[in-house]
Amino acid sequence: MRLTTTVLSLGLEEWRNAVCEVLIQNEKNSILGVNNCWDLCALPQAVTVDIAVLHYSFALHGLRYAAEYIRRRWPDAVILVIGEQAEQLDDPLYDDKASSAISLDELAQMIETLVAAKRRIRRSVRSGLVDARGQAKEAGGTTTICSA
């Protein structure tokens, strides 16, 4: 299991640099930054993302496209929208939102909390699948478990 949290930051470079300074203090963070949808789509195929943070400086017209793209490419990633732009998106396109007045320390804490919660859910689901398979074997039958 990876111990590193990969943060994808979308928005102004100055904001990304400030976020990077706060997050990089924790050696377990890796930060990627993009300015626009073109840069987002140009990320190498091998890149994994745990959380995407869409800052209010990210172009509004690209917000929906970026959120949809992130959902398709990294379905397990948490999407956090900073600012009132979240009102422009359907609920399934983001996991959480924060005010544009959020401090960098509060943002770092929120990122940590959201990623930890997502990891607990994944572990719980995996554990449930293992338990279901074990119970099926004990019962002498076979079970087909479908995943979405």
Side-chain angles (χ1 to χ4, degrees), residues 38-58:
W38 291 107
D39 293 343
L40 176 63
C41 295
L43 288 172
Q45 204 55 36
V47 169
T48 60
V49 171
D50 295 303
I51 185 165
V53 182
L54 285 74
H55 187 254
Y56 63 87
S57 64
F58 193 72

Side-chain angles (χ1 to χ4, degrees), residues 8 10 34-43 58 65-67 69-70 73-74:
L8 174 61
L10 295 86
V34 297
N35 292 326
N36 54 52
C37 290
W38 291 107
D39 293 343
L40 176 63
C41 295
L43 288 172
F58 193 72
Y65 175 80
Y69 181 81
I70 291 165
R73 183 161 175 194
W74 300 288

Side-chain angles (χ1 to χ4, degrees), residues 13-146:
E13 186 174 354
E14 294 82 16
W15 179 77
R16 287 194 330 262
N17 290 341
V19 170
C20 185
E21 285 182 30
V22 172
L23 292 177
I24 208 70
Q25 294 170 3
N26 180 346
E27 298 167 357
K28 296 178 181 179
N29 293 322
S30 168
I31 295 102
L32 302 166
V34 297
N35 292 326
N36 54 52
C37 290
W38 291 107
D39 293 343
L40 176 63
C41 295
L43 288 172
Q45 204 55 36
V47 169
T48 60
V49 171
D50 295 303
I51 185 165
V53 182
L54 285 74
H55 187 254
Y56 63 87
S57 64
F58 193 72
L60 186 59
H61 65 275
L63 182 66
R64 175 176 295 284
Y65 175 80
E68 288 173 352
Y69 181 81
I70 291 165
R71 272 286 179 251
R72 279 192 314 273
R73 183 161 175 194
W74 300 288
D76 287 337
V78 175
I79 298 177
L80 172 61
V81 180
I82 306 298
E84 289 61 44
Q85 296 182 27
E87 310 304 323
Q88 306 293 322
L89 295 176
D90 298 329
D91 282 347
L93 290 179
Y94 67 94
D95 298 293
D96 210 337
K97 60 185 175 181
S99 164
S100 55
I102 191 170
S103 74
L104 291 174
D105 289 330
E106 290 171 323
L107 177 61
Q109 181 61 44
M110 190 173 196
I111 288 170
E112 208 173 285
T113 301
L114 289 169
V115 171
K118 189 74 160 199
R119 286 184 175 154
R120 277 193 302 275
I121 290 169
R122 277 190 231 135
R123 271 196 308 269
S124 164
V125 167
R126 277 191 222 122
S127 174
L129 290 175
V130 168
D131 290 347
R133 287 182 183 131
Q135 290 172 1
K137 285 181 182 178
E138 288 174 10
T142 59
T143 300
T144 304
I145 299 174
C146 299

